[in-house]
Amino acid sequence: MTVTTAFDRLCAGLGRHPGRPVLVTDAVTLDGGGLLRKTDAWAARLAARDLPRGSRIAVLARGHADVVALMLAIYRLGLVYVPINPRYRGAELQHVVEDCGASMLLCDQALADDRLGMLDPGLPRFGIDPGSALPSLPDAAPAVASALRDDETAILVYTSGTTGRSKGVKLSLHAIVGNIGALTELWGWTADDVLSLALPLFHVHGLCIGVHGGLLHGMCIRLHARFDPAAIVTDFAQDATIFMGVPTMYGRMLEHLQAQPPAAAVLARGRLFTAGSAALRPAVLEHWEQLTGQRILERYGMSETLITLSNPRDGERRPGAVGHPVPGCEVQVVDDAGHPVAPGEIGELWVRGPYLMQGYWNRPQDTAAAFCRGWFKTGDVVRSDPDGYLRIVGRRSVDVIKSGGFKIAAPQIEEVLRQHPSVRDAAVVGVPDARWGERIAAAVEANPGHVPTLDVLGPWVAEHLADYKKPRQMEVVDTLPRNALGKIQKPRLLPLFQRPDDPRD
């Protein structure tokens, strides 16, 4: 295959080793040819809809083979792939579908019944049944359009809404393939590796690094619809060499190793374990290395920049640090005026390079505000060690909670809480937690005559938002602390929720 575009490069690895699996799930095992045939079938069905180039195709699905084939089919037709968190429901789902102007929604049959009631009934829908084969191609398949060009938008990844309503981040295939190619080369990925992938496929970590990285190298991906520590150990007992996870996953893996000590020796066979999406506590890193002999490699990235920083594959993986810039990325640490700070001083991380987002979907003002002199302003506060290793200190905003690998907007939860008849006002904060990274805690002012409880308000939030956004701790207060201008002073709430066993590092 002549590699002339990012799409060509993505598909090139599928033909390198005929007969060797590239995608393994509970339902199916596919080699490169089998995945391409499944891609052809999806492309023919989408082409029959005669959608204009650049149309957005929303996909609400868990991780299975048809999702990967469908993604490639969308690229092949010059359409835009819009993955949606399968735990979204109600207003969250409606916002993404309507904001992107989806021309079609493809949804797992198992998710359709309780998720789609609020959507426009006129929106074309197509059910996905990962347990069955696609019907045979029609005798005269529609002509297939030319694949995505490097300068066209390939994916709209929706943010977690940490600064308001979630925004669609426009990513080109050139940016994804270029950045993930550089990252996985840095990590030494080869066609002989086998990736155990249990991350969801609606954000950069699982979708871009996992799926796109695996395809680029023609390696085998063992894809799981849900995370189960025992299944990961089984993968490594067979042939897996790489695992990527978030801190919550590693916490559950350590619990599994405590209950099943022989599993540690199985994981010790692995070649690379990486972590991202939130900071990994040094105690977890050290405990993992004690049990498995493996040093977890941490990295840093976000939807708008893809993966910007990484600890080295060969060299020191420093606890609490996220390393140096990935090739192709340039970073600087600046003060509030945008001036670089000296090593050791705290400042905001700014990023530039060829792999940044193309902008926010239909939000030119937000796009302009996110950049300064060509640099993307991440909003993350960092500190540089004297030798250049960067450490993420936290967010500029106290309204961002990182829990279980998700970035969660506190104002979104507060808005839902205020809609409950027992609640007059609410403030939501993230409290350091050994299992979740941060646990969601809510301070609530009650309406007269009501006594709010977590047993009532937790399910109330889960009815309106993804269940991982519900508070895990709650206190009823007479009055929320406010400054002279009436703004709630959230740091003053933290002592209400801290426990003796909470992490302090």
Side-chain angles (χ1 to χ4, degrees), residues 401 429-433 437-441 473 494 497-498 502:
I401 301 171
V429 296
V431 184
D433 186 273
E438 290 182 298
R439 66 178 175 273
I440 301 169
Q473 197 173 359
L494 291 176
F497 304 106
Q498 288 173 340
D502 283 341

Side-chain angles (χ1 to χ4, degrees), residues 268-500:
R269 305 174 191 172
R271 188 181 71 76
L272 181 66
F273 293 83
T274 75
S277 299
L280 188 69
R281 292 196 304 119
V284 172
L285 190 149
E286 299 293 345
H287 193 193
W288 182 268
E289 187 171 13
Q290 290 171 4
L291 293 179
T292 68
Q294 298 282 346
R295 187 75 162 181
I296 299 170
L297 187 156
E298 290 192 85
R299 56 77 183 167
Y300 163 86
M302 57 193 306
S303 300
E304 292 90 338
T305 67
L306 295 172
I307 310 304
T308 302
L309 304 166
S310 175
N311 274 295
R313 177 189 56 160
D314 301 315
E316 182 184 4
R317 301 176 190 173
R318 191 170 297 174
V322 287
H324 297 92
V326 171
C329 299
E330 187 178 355
V331 304
Q332 64 173 347
V333 184
V334 303
D335 59 21
D336 289 342
H339 301 137
V341 302
E345 294 185 16
I346 291 176
E348 184 180 3
L349 179 68
W350 286 11
V351 181
R352 72 179 177 187
Y355 306 138
L356 300 183
M357 69 170 181
Q358 296 171 311
Y360 294 113
W361 174 255
N362 279 347
R363 293 174 183 258
Q365 291 183 329
D366 288 342
T367 300
F371 288 88
C372 181
R373 301 187 299 274
W375 293 88
F376 177 79
K377 301 180 291 184
T378 68
D380 280 313
V381 178
V382 303
R383 183 180 69 248
S384 174
D385 288 351
D387 57 358
Y389 274 77
L390 285 163
R391 298 175 180 272
I392 307 298
V393 176
R395 287 290 296 179
R396 291 176 62 89
S397 171
V398 296
D399 289 329
V400 177
I401 301 171
K402 291 185 175 181
S403 181
F406 296 101
K407 290 182 180 179
I408 298 165
Q412 187 183 44
I413 304 171
E414 291 161 357
E415 182 179 358
V416 171
L417 287 171
R418 294 185 188 115
Q419 294 170 5
H420 194 275
S422 69
V423 175
R424 181 173 63 198
D425 204 356
V428 172
V429 296
V431 184
D433 186 273
R435 180 182 181 93
W436 300 103
E438 290 182 298
R439 66 178 175 273
I440 301 169
V444 171
E445 290 181 2
N447 276 318
H450 290 81
V451 182
T453 66
L454 185 60
D455 288 342
V456 172
L457 294 183
W460 170 263
V461 171
E463 287 177 12
H464 293 79
L465 303 173
D467 59 358
Y468 60 80
K469 297 182 181 181
K470 65 185 179 185
R472 298 182 180 276
Q473 197 173 359
M474 194 189 85
E475 293 288 339
V476 178
V477 298
D478 292 333
T479 305
L480 292 169
R482 300 175 186 270
N483 63 16
L485 297 177
K487 184 176 181 180
I488 296 173
Q489 297 175 303
K490 289 190 175 183
R492 292 177 55 187
L493 294 171
L494 291 176
L496 288 175
F497 304 106
Q498 288 173 340
R499 299 167 176 164

Side-chain angles (χ1 to χ4, degrees), residues 179-195:
N179 175 252
I180 301 306
L183 177 74
T184 52
E185 289 289 343
L186 187 69
W187 289 352
W189 286 20
T190 74
D192 293 327
D193 279 311
V194 176
L195 172 64

Side-chain angles (χ1 to χ4, degrees), residues 10-29:
L10 187 65
C11 294
L14 298 179
R16 289 181 189 145
H17 303 282
R20 192 163 72 176
V22 298
L23 194 59
V24 178
T25 71
D26 289 341
V28 67
T29 296

Side-chain angles (χ1 to χ4, degrees), residues 15-194:
R16 289 181 189 145
H17 303 282
R20 192 163 72 176
V22 298
L23 194 59
V24 178
T25 71
D26 289 341
V28 67
T29 296
L30 298 173
D31 65 3
L35 180 55
L36 288 174
R37 286 190 294 274
K38 190 175 277 286
T39 297
D40 289 341
W42 275 114
R45 278 152 190 79
L46 291 176
R49 308 291 303 192
D50 197 25
L51 297 171
R53 193 173 186 85
S55 295
R56 277 75 60 203
I57 309 299
V59 178
L60 182 72
R62 302 193 186 279
H64 51 73
D66 278 284
V67 171
V68 179
L70 178 56
M71 178 193 75
L72 292 174
I74 289 170
Y75 293 166
R76 179 168 290 173
L77 297 177
L79 306 174
V80 180
Y81 182 62
V82 187
I84 302 178
N85 184 341
R87 294 167 78 174
Y88 274 8
R89 59 183 66 242
E92 295 169 305
L93 176 59
Q94 183 180 20
H95 168 68
V96 174
V97 171
E98 293 181 354
D99 185 75
C100 75
S103 296
M104 179 184 293
L105 172 67
L106 294 105
C107 179
D108 280 354
Q109 297 284 19
L111 299 177
D113 293 342
D114 65 343
R115 303 296 169 95
L116 308 186
M118 292 182 64
L119 301 183
D120 178 1
L123 176 68
R125 305 171 186 188
F126 198 107
I128 306 172
D129 183 358
S132 65
L134 286 170
S136 59
L137 287 170
D139 293 336
V144 174
S146 59
L148 278 170
R149 299 189 303 268
D150 283 1
D151 61 346
E152 291 181 303
T153 299
I155 295 180
L156 279 184
V157 176
Y158 271 78
T159 66
S160 302
T162 51
T163 55
R165 299 297 295 273
S166 60
K167 300 185 287 287
V169 175
K170 300 192 298 181
L171 295 171
S172 70
L173 208 54
H174 166 75
I176 297 169
V177 169
N179 175 252
I180 301 306
L183 177 74
T184 52
E185 289 289 343
L186 187 69
W187 289 352
W189 286 20
T190 74
D192 293 327
D193 279 311
V194 176

